[in-house]
């Protein structure tokens, strides 16, 4: 019983001493963490949006380019750049300058597996 009391006393002392600091750190750290998660999700969604945009075009294709330290997906209709995901304020012709346009990606129509991995295993048997 003496060991439990001593450890409980230490927990209370540390909680009183560092509790307000931990509370403030969590309170102020939540927003930057939320913004970081939204940025990462936006990066993942940008490729998917660009491919679905290009899929709806007659001769659609996409190509990743870099603007500063951000990857931007440029959507092409034939050889003409028509949009970017995420949208940027720079002209598209300037963004693709110096890139090899033969490395564009054509949408396949099927963005991901239609079956879950378990169902795919069942169908192989």
């Amino acid at each position: 019983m003496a060991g439990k009391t001593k450890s409980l006393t230490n927990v209370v002392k540390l909680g009183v001493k560092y509790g307000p600091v931990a509370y403030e750190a969590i309170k102020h750290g939540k927003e930057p963490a939320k913004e970081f998660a939204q940025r990462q999700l936006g990066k993942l969604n940008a490729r998917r949006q660009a491919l679905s945009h290009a899929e709806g075009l007659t001769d659609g294709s996409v190509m990743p380019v870099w603007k500063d330290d951000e990857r931007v997906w440029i959507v092409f209709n034939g050889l003409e750049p028509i949009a970017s995901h995420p949208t940027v304020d720079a002209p598209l012709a300037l963004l693709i300058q110096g890139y090899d346009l033969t490395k564009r990606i054509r949408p396949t129509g099927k963005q991901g597996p239609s079956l879950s991995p378990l169902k795919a295993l069942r169908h192989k048997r």
Side-chain angles (χ1 to χ4, degrees):
M1 191 70 158
K4 289 182 183 177
T5 307
K6 186 170 182 167
S7 64
L8 185 60
T9 305
N10 284 339
V11 167
V12 171
K13 282 181 185 177
L14 291 174
V16 169
K17 184 175 183 181
Y18 295 111
V21 174
Y23 174 76
E24 288 297 321
I26 290 169
K27 187 172 119 181
H28 292 295
K30 193 184 330 181
E31 280 302 315
K34 206 183 280 187
E35 290 172 6
F36 176 75
Q38 288 174 347
R39 272 196 318 267
Q40 295 297 357
L41 188 62
K43 287 178 186 177
L44 292 175
N45 287 338
R47 179 180 186 271
R48 191 175 304 128
Q49 287 173 348
L51 283 171
S52 67
H53 186 176
E55 190 175 2
L57 300 172
T58 338
D59 186 21
S61 61
V62 298
M63 184 174 73
V65 298
W66 291 93
K67 181 184 183 310
D68 300 329
D69 61 346
E70 180 183 14
R71 186 189 323 192
V72 178
W73 291 87
I74 306 292
V75 180
F76 290 87
N77 190 13
L79 292 174
E80 181 184 345
I82 58 169
S84 69
H85 295 277
T87 56
V88 292
D89 54 353
L92 298 177
L94 250 138
L95 288 176
I96 62 170
Q97 191 175 17
Y99 282 93
D100 186 12
L101 296 182
T102 60
K103 301 208 183 225
R104 292 177 293 166
I105 302 168
R106 303 243 180 243
T108 60
K110 183 179 165 186
Q111 298 298 325
S114 59
L115 297 174
S116 69
L118 291 176
K119 287 184 181 177
L121 284 175
R122 287 186 203 139
H123 286 282
K124 284 184 179 180
R125 291 183 189 183

